[in-house]
Amino acid sequence: MSGGTLYGVGLGPGDPELVTVKAARLIGAADVVAYHSARHGRSIARSIAEPYLRGGQIEEQLVYPVTTEATDHPGGYEGAIEEFYTAAAARLMAHLAAGRDVVLLAEGDPLFYSSYMHMHKRISGRFATEIVPGVTSVSAASAALAMPLVEGDDVLSVLPGTLGRAELTERLRAPGAAAVMKISRSYGDVRAALKDSGRLEQAYYVERASGGQRQVTERAGDVDPSAVPYMSLVLLAGAEAAGEPASSASVSASVSASVPASASASVSEGSGGGGADAAAAGRVDVVGLGPAGRDWLTPQAAAVLAAADDIVGYVTYVDRVPPNPRQRRHASDNQVEAQRAEFALDLALRGRRVAVVSSGDPGVFAMASVVLEAAAGDARFAGVPVSVVPGVTAAQAVASLAGAPLGHDYVMLSLSDRLKPWDVIARRLTAAADGDFAIAIYNPASQSRRQQLADARALLLARRDAGTPVVIGRAVGTAEQWVTVTTLGEFDPADVDMRCLVIVGSSQSRVVRDGDGTARVITPRRYPG
């Protein structure tokens, strides 16, 4: 064929670094670069390819006359789109007839739910064409979730979300992996179909896969249908890839709402390998997550969490561990610590590698002592290895944001009287004050427990100057974080809730100011005399 060549160039899912070497070379060498866009003029494809464009190239922007809105075209939506494709193909063929090579950009892969196909059908019989495949959004989403999608004899079904609730439900009931595309305007039906088919708990939503900070991954059931953009999809792993037994290929590994009395039966030997070898491989790691967020998680803790088969803990802390469909998650409330520890050890007996998660450090008012006590108190668990993986404590986190209020000897003390009586707390607080320690106060108040903090302030004021620096840190590491510096005399217990940690300085603690006036609390390392 004479004339130029039409190249259908796949750009991958959105990250310009996932554009293939061949695609980048062809984009830079092309006489004409074409791309589709809606009437607003912004083209995702062009933005991905922009690093590879060179100055002076001809750009053909193919603007859809209609996307989802109504049209007054006499042929309706289909007529308007058909007319557009015919005109767009004519524009590109004019360049090809003149001997110019044309690169038509396509997000993902040119032959996978792509607009390129409409041009290919109209042009391929008249001019030379070449397809350059790209990384699909399905592969990018699987990578974003770190989720094996298909393994062994698993079958992958790719379904458009526009099929409608009934058709989607029927297809999702079939065993195997699934990718549900085109979900932005039909997510309500998609989520309903996932629920109807019994697969909502194992379904994961990915938005802008490979999009850096704009990438979103979460459970499909938690997604707001009104906020789903075009570049999004839902994935469900195949049974073998998810490590499920063949008999439960269509049943998800659900997140427990609490630890039931019969929880030890919830994991069969078959699901973890079973037998003596599996029992020998089981273990429990009690993992500190730090105060909040991945930035506060140690590399050691991250590695242990990644290797786990099961995540066990208080629901708020389990939710902080990124979902992994390979893992089973067992969330419970904060009143069942002993049962939670026994449940984790029982899982380990069945060959599972279990991570029991705690906020902060697991050895500071958390699960490490509970698990070790349970392991030592029952002969069944004598052979279960238990390790403690440390984390950044709340006291360290708050102190670091306030300066160095814990720079000398200090005491960590919990004001919660749920596990010890108030007279013990008051006696220890008095001893800490008389010893002139800085004091990090955990669990200072809750909705039902308000008087203890006021009593603690009064006790400290009887032994400390009213000008003693006090630091209040709330929700450190989260978007709701705040840290304030006040004095013992001006400290108002009403400002404190369960998400706070309070640090009271020693007689030597003082406030200094940064160059910008920010208050910093320091407790010097030298002590008088």
Side-chain angles (χ1 to χ4, degrees):
M1 295 181 182
S2 61
T5 299
L6 173 67
Y7 294 94
V9 174
L11 298 172
D15 182 351
E17 291 188 339
L18 291 178
V19 172
T20 65
V21 174
K22 184 172 184 178
R25 175 176 60 79
L26 289 172
I27 292 168
D31 303 305
V32 181
V33 177
Y35 46 87
H36 292 85
S37 79
R39 286 188 292 180
H40 52 57
R42 297 183 298 275
S43 169
I44 296 172
R46 190 192 185 284
S47 68
I48 300 170
E50 188 169 10
Y52 309 108
L53 297 173
R54 71 173 200 279
Q57 288 174 294
I58 301 167
E59 295 192 20
E60 285 285 358
Q61 184 173 359
L62 309 177
V63 181
Y64 285 108
V66 61
T67 50
T68 57
E69 65 274 19
T71 178
D72 57 4
H73 191 281
Y77 176 85
E78 294 296 334
I81 289 297
E82 176 62 29
E83 187 176 282
F84 162 71
Y85 286 142
T86 300
R91 287 168 58 185
L92 300 186
M93 285 191 288
H95 290 295
L96 295 169
R100 290 187 283 270
D101 289 338
V102 177
V103 161
L104 179 52
L105 304 176
E107 299 146 41
D109 182 271
L111 300 180
F112 190 80
Y113 290 120
S114 168
S115 295
Y116 168 79
M117 290 181 285
H118 299 287
M119 296 296 98
H120 184 82
K121 292 174 183 177
R122 289 165 173 80
I123 296 174
S124 60
R126 305 182 187 185
F127 295 92
T129 59
E130 183 177 335
I131 310 295
V132 180
V135 177
T136 69
S137 57
V138 174
S139 297
S142 179
L145 292 167
M147 182 180 85
L149 191 57
V150 286
E151 180 181 340
D153 293 327
D154 283 334
V155 174
L156 171 64
S157 298
V158 180
L159 307 171
T162 51
L163 281 177
R165 177 173 177 175
E167 179 71 11
L168 275 174
T169 300
E170 186 64 27
R171 291 178 180 270
L172 287 168
R173 283 190 176 126
V180 187
M181 318 281 292
K182 300 183 180 180
I183 64 173
S184 61
R185 294 181 180 271
S186 54
Y187 195 76
D189 281 348
V190 171
R191 188 169 65 180
L194 289 165
K195 184 176 181 180
D196 294 345
S197 63
R199 303 190 71 182
L200 183 60
E201 288 298 325
Q202 69 182 115
Y204 289 84
Y205 167 90
V206 182
E207 178 181 312
R208 297 184 175 90
S210 82
Q213 293 185 346
R214 302 180 70 200
Q215 175 179 286
V216 175
T217 60
E218 57 184 313
R219 288 187 173 273
D222 297 335
V223 176
D224 178 2
S226 66
V228 176
Y230 171 73
M231 297 188 74
S232 57
L233 75 163
V234 168
L235 287 186
L236 301 94
E240 288 191 56
E244 296 178 7
S247 61
S248 61
S250 61
V251 180
S252 66
S254 61
V255 180
S256 305
S258 61
V259 179
S262 60
S264 62
S266 66
V267 180
S268 68
E269 289 189 359
S271 65
D277 290 341
R283 62 175 297 112
V284 174
D285 297 291
V286 193
V287 182
L289 300 177
R294 190 173 183 85
D295 288 348
W296 298 89
L297 187 69
T298 69
Q300 182 191 17
V304 170
L305 291 174
D309 300 314
D310 295 80
I311 307 295
V312 174
Y314 173 42
V315 60
T316 302
Y317 305 147
V318 169
D319 286 346
R320 283 173 48 190
V321 180
N324 184 331
R326 176 185 61 77
Q327 298 172 330
R328 300 187 178 192
R329 297 158 74 88
H330 311 273
S332 52
D333 65 36
N334 61 356
Q335 305 294 315
V336 291
E337 291 181 345
Q339 297 96 312
R340 186 185 302 146
E342 184 174 345
F343 174 62
L345 290 162
D346 198 57
L347 286 174
L349 277 180
R350 286 160 171 73
R352 310 288 290 181
R353 181 163 184 164
V354 185
V356 178
V357 295
S358 291
S359 182
D361 183 278
V364 179
F365 305 119
M367 285 298 298
S369 59
V370 183
V371 174
L372 289 168
E373 188 176 22
D378 192 325
R380 289 184 302 142
F381 305 134
V384 176
V386 178
S387 73
V388 178
V389 180
V392 177
T393 68
Q396 292 168 323
V398 172
S400 69
L401 296 173
L406 304 179
H408 207 291
D409 301 336
Y410 69 92
V411 166
M412 287 182 174
L413 185 144
S414 170
L415 283 195
S416 174
D417 56 1
R418 191 170 69 85
L419 298 176
K420 62 180 183 290
W422 172 253
D423 63 329
V424 172
I425 297 172
R427 188 165 67 248
R428 292 177 177 178
L429 193 59
T430 299
D434 289 342
D436 199 20
F437 292 97
I439 307 170
I441 300 176
Y442 281 71
N443 307 313
S446 67
Q447 195 169 16
S448 61
R449 193 168 42 78
R450 307 299 306 177
Q451 187 58 40
Q452 287 92 331
L453 186 57
D455 292 345
R457 175 179 177 271
L459 188 155
L460 290 170
L461 274 172
R463 292 162 172 80
R464 294 272 168 92
D465 187 276
T468 301
V470 172
V471 177
I472 309 171
R474 184 180 190 278
V476 168
T478 74
E480 293 80 37
Q481 166 186 302
W482 57 260
V483 177
T484 187
V485 175
T486 183
T487 63
L488 190 57
E490 295 178 349
F491 171 56
D492 184 355
D495 294 335
V496 174
D497 63 19
M498 194 62 181
R499 299 187 72 188
C500 292
L501 181 133
V502 177
I503 297 177
V504 180
S506 73
S507 66
Q508 303 304 303
S509 302
R510 65 179 188 269
V511 177
V512 297
R513 299 282 174 178
D514 285 348
D516 62 1
T518 301
R520 296 284 194 176
V521 179
I522 61 170
T523 301
R525 294 182 62 192
R526 284 190 171 85
Y527 200 82

